[in-house]
Amino acid sequence: METWTLTAPCHFGLESVLKREIYDLGYDITQVRDGEVSFTGDAEAVARANIWLRTAERLLLEVGRVNARTYDELFENVKALPWEAFIPLHGKFWVTKASAVNCQLYSPSDIQSIVKKAIVERLKEKYHTAWFPEDGEEYPIRVRGRKDEFAICLDTSGPSLHKRGYRTEAGGAPISETLAAALIGLTRFKRGRILVDPFCGSGTFLIEAALMAANRAPGLTRDFTAEKWTGLIPKNCFTDAVEEAEDLEDLSDMGDLQGYDIDADVLRYARANAARAGVDSFIHFQQRDVAELHHAKKYGFIITNPPYGERMGSEDELAGLYRTLGSRFAALDSWSCYVITPYADIEKAFGRKATKNRKVYNGMIRTYFYSFEGPKPVHK
């Protein structure tokens, strides 16, 4: 079976988590760059990666890489790529997005236009036609330029992989599913352990943790663009990947997953989202203030995205909220706490230095993921 270079974009700074996921799927990584990880894979890999990757935004199949400092060079080099091996005569194709970092060519709209024209000219020659009906399956194209090198790729996913299908409703400022999964991957949380989110909102952290604990593939209930590329990706690749995922699911040790929020409406969203994800029976949601956070057992985890900015009334309220979270965490024996926030004084509010912190963009907001790690359990 033919192999290609496959690239999975992700949140900047979280490449290590995605890299581990790809290794776990059994594929050889060829390159790691800011915001993306590339690996070698075949048609089966396209299906398995789309269904299994929790932290990637999408999966791109690289048609080729070209160097270009002028639009003429871009046109000729893109035209030289073997497009007829990927796009059939009736295929519908367009350049859905282009980006360029440190390139002589920097206009996304111009890059999109030139790449589309180059592909059309190539296919005109190969299919001996002057007109394409484009009434077949969709082949969206993405262009990613860095330092005058452009990766020209087919988007195998379609809608972003963060769209698992379970979150149709959300409260204010929800964290994305892929970011939540990546942040959980940075913690020491494992299946069978205690996890509490005292600001659970629409439940994303807890739902993603439950999916991980159950070893349930996040893409099981959605469709992918490449499923319809039967000339390129055999249909059985996706059906086999789904069967594999269903066989590997394990609900035997789901642990103790709890979500609190003071907003009853938001909790209704969270419960509905968990039900759509098929993990509602494993998560206990309750209307509770963070001041009531407590647990009788040791070695638990808090992973949370507290309110900030417009979600809070004033700076004093914000400081008070973090002091309360810090005091409740301090009362939990041997627990670890992980917080994503732009709030700069969290260590002061907690009265302790973070074990580590990492810069992360939550949408367009620059935040930090603070880790306050407790001791590891003592195994007899």
Side-chain angles (χ1 to χ4, degrees), residues 169-204:
E169 299 174 296
I175 194 168
S176 78
E177 294 86 334
T178 47
L179 179 55
L183 295 179
I184 295 170
L186 291 175
T187 75
R188 298 201 306 235
F189 173 76
K190 298 289 188 295
R191 61 175 288 154
R193 303 290 294 278
I194 305 163
L195 173 60
V196 177
D197 182 352
F199 305 99
C200 70
S202 55
T204 309

Side-chain angles (χ1 to χ4, degrees), residues 64 150 205:
F150 294 86
F205 270 131

Side-chain angles (χ1 to χ4, degrees), residues 18 64 74 80 92 101 105 107 112 141 154 215 314 341 346:
L18 175 56
L74 182 63
K92 180 180 180 180
V101 178
L105 309 179
S107 168
Q112 287 174 282
I141 297 158
L154 292 174
N215 199 35
S314 69
T341 179
I346 184 172

Side-chain angles (χ1 to χ4, degrees), residues 6-8 39 45-46 49-50 58-61 154-157 161:
L6 304 173
T7 297
F39 61 101
V46 170
N50 269 303
R58 60 185 67 253
L59 184 70
L60 306 176
L61 189 162
L154 292 174
D155 179 1
T156 73
S157 303
L161 293 179

Side-chain angles (χ1 to χ4, degrees), residues 15 17 43 47 60 70-71 125 134 168 173 175 189 204 211 227-228 247 264 273 294 324 329 354 367:
E15 298 84 2
V17 185
L60 306 176
T70 68
Y71 286 113
E125 294 177 3
E134 295 199 54
T168 60
I175 194 168
F189 173 76
T204 309
L211 292 173
E227 285 184 77
K228 298 179 180 179
D247 289 343
N273 291 339
H294 59 83
T324 301
F329 167 50
T367 65

Side-chain angles (χ1 to χ4, degrees), residues 172-173 306-315 317-318 342 365:
Y308 46 79
E310 294 180 358
R311 297 163 71 191
M312 292 298 296
S314 69
E315 188 68 24
E317 287 180 290
L318 191 63
I365 302 172

Side-chain angles (χ1 to χ4, degrees), residues 23-35:
Y23 273 136
D24 288 345
L25 284 175
Y27 301 115
D28 294 328
I29 291 171
T30 56
Q31 189 174 44
V32 179
R33 300 200 290 186
D34 288 345

Side-chain angles (χ1 to χ4, degrees), residues 343-361:
Y343 183 60
D345 293 329
I346 184 172
E347 291 173 315
K348 180 180 178 182
F350 273 45
R352 60 182 284 187
K353 291 286 291 182
T355 310
K356 53 191 169 186
N357 72 71
R358 181 187 297 252
K359 183 168 68 175
V360 176
Y361 279 88

